[in-house]
Amino acid sequence: WRDEEIAPRFIEVTQNETERMIRLVNDLLQLSKLDSKDYKLKKTRVHFIPYFHKVIDRFELTKKENVSFVRDFPDEKIFVHMDEDKITQVLDNIISNALKYSPQGGKITFRVKKKEDHIEVSVKDEGVGIPKSDLSKIFERFYRVDKARSRKLGGTGLGLAISKRLVELMNGKIGVESDFGKGSKFYFTLKFKTDSVKNFEKFDFSQKSIAIIENNKEIQNSLKLIFNYLKCKFFIFNNIKELFNSKNKNIDF
Ligand code: ATP
Ligand code: MG
């Protein structure tokens, strides 16, 4: 330990390995939390394009100079319902993977495509690519295509497994397309309609009768319009007493 050449290198290796262990424990902890049924997301309405620009800008400042970024986004406002911190974690992993495996002078293309009820977000690199036989396993825990190379590039091999769980918790899909030796494209989808709106549309109101307690005449009139439009039977009361005194046999409690 007194050896002036070996001692500092030894400390550096120990420190790196300790940091890796800490990252591994944190990743495993997060995965086990994600597996529990009552995992709660903090979903908000996010203006997606400006949000995505901000995430990419952060990487633009630290990336190797010879790797270039291209952004291909639709020219319109898109709002999605998502947990912003968790999608940032997914993007951080996919973008840092793309950078890790990009060659000198490589181009990374960020794309957002608007589909019927969702958007598709993709990150495409011109890196080493992934062999066909590995494509289906890449989202499994600890799976790495080339153990030696991945280890040299750091990481725990859990990033994509966590990303998959997070995207699926938000009812999205995650996937990869790759040409071995030419590059990879990772993509995921996010619904831009909230689930409650979707359920509302699916709900057959004509089968229901609804009791409404509201004493404001203007609101009563608006509700009448809405429930008539939905072909729903409804009864409006000014207060709860009126409701209880009602002789109407059609109301179930
Ligand atoms: P971590 O994300 O935990 O830091 P990691 O990057 O090794 O570690 P994942 O993000 O889960 O782990 O990726 C798993 C493996 O998939 C990687 O080790 C690598 O073999 C392969 N991989 C991921 N992204 C790419 C890419 N853009 N190009 C080529 N191979 C990739
Ligand atoms: Mg990773």
Side-chain angles (χ1 to χ4, degrees):
W1 59 276
R2 282 174 198 272
D3 188 318
E4 279 178 20
E5 222 176 278
I6 294 177
R9 263 175 43 215
F10 180 75
I11 289 173
E12 198 188 304
V13 170
T14 324
Q15 196 177 348
N16 283 345
E17 286 305 301
T18 314
E19 281 166 9
R20 259 172 63 82
M21 284 297 287
I22 293 171
R23 278 209 306 276
L24 180 64
V25 171
N26 280 331
D27 284 353
L28 281 171
L29 261 176
Q30 187 181 12
L31 261 177
S32 79
K33 275 193 213 147
L34 286 172
D35 282 341
S36 86
K37 281 214 177 62
D38 44 46
Y39 189 83
K40 289 267 181 305
L41 292 168
K42 290 194 197 81
K43 284 193 188 176
T44 53
R45 209 167 94 102
V46 178
H47 193 182
F48 195 79
I49 304 293
Y51 154 80
F52 198 15
H53 272 301
K54 251 195 320 193
V55 174
I56 303 166
D57 288 345
R58 189 156 43 78
F59 282 92
E60 191 100 54
L61 297 171
T62 51
K63 73 174 170 61
K64 292 174 273 183
E65 261 168 39
N66 51 30
V67 173
S68 59
F69 281 179
V70 175
R71 310 180 199 207
D72 180 6
F73 302 156
D75 191 17
E76 60 184 304
K77 285 189 176 166
I78 300 172
F79 290 93
V80 286
H81 204 59
M82 65 181 210
D83 184 322
E84 190 172 320
D85 287 348
K86 298 294 182 289
I87 290 298
T88 304
Q89 189 182 350
V90 172
L91 283 169
D92 279 357
N93 179 49
I94 292 178
I95 301 172
S96 58
N97 282 348
L99 280 166
K100 260 196 256 183
Y101 299 102
S102 273
Q104 297 267 343
K107 180 173 83 183
I108 297 180
T109 310
F110 302 92
R111 190 164 282 143
V112 176
K113 269 199 242 164
K114 199 173 164 194
K115 303 280 171 88
E116 199 192 327
D117 66 345
H118 65 272
I119 52 169
E120 187 185 281
V121 183
S122 64
V123 179
K124 183 164 161 259
D125 64 58
E126 298 176 335
V128 288
I130 300 157
K132 284 261 173 308
S133 56
D134 289 298
L135 281 178
S136 58
K137 300 181 206 135
I138 201 141
F139 294 96
E140 286 171 16
R141 298 169 186 200
F142 296 116
Y143 197 83
R144 297 160 118 185
V145 175
D146 175 344
K147 312 279 176 294
R149 187 191 62 200
S150 304
R151 199 174 167 83
K152 208 173 78 213
L153 294 170
T156 59
L158 288 172
L160 285 176
I162 294 177
S163 303
K164 184 172 159 69
R165 290 289 292 135
L166 288 172
V167 168
E168 286 174 352
L169 274 175
M170 280 172 246
N171 302 319
K173 288 200 185 80
I174 188 165
V176 58
E177 287 164 14
S178 182
D179 260 344
F180 189 43
K182 288 195 186 151
S184 324
K185 182 179 110 176
F186 282 84
Y187 61 88
F188 63 87
T189 62
L190 282 172
K191 295 243 157 89
F192 51 69
K193 265 185 193 165
T194 65
D195 292 344
S196 54
V197 170
K198 235 175 108 194
N199 289 338
F200 189 74
E201 281 172 358
K202 267 199 243 151
F203 198 78
D204 184 2
F205 282 95
S206 63
Q207 301 300 314
K208 302 280 167 197
S209 51
I210 292 180
I212 300 159
I213 300 171
E214 175 58 65
N215 61 4
N216 181 310
K217 291 279 172 266
E218 271 171 42
I219 298 180
Q220 281 186 0
N221 286 337
S222 309
L223 289 171
K224 277 180 197 164
L225 278 175
I226 294 170
F227 285 108
N228 276 329
Y229 172 78
L230 292 169
K231 298 192 178 56
C232 167
K233 248 187 271 152
F234 62 93
F235 308 92
I236 297 184
F237 304 95
N238 287 301
N239 52 52
I240 192 118
K241 220 165 156 190
E242 246 180 46
L243 168 69
F244 283 125
N245 292 338
S246 157
K247 300 276 178 298
N248 195 322
K249 298 274 181 309
N250 286 327
I251 299 173
D252 298 326
F253 290 102

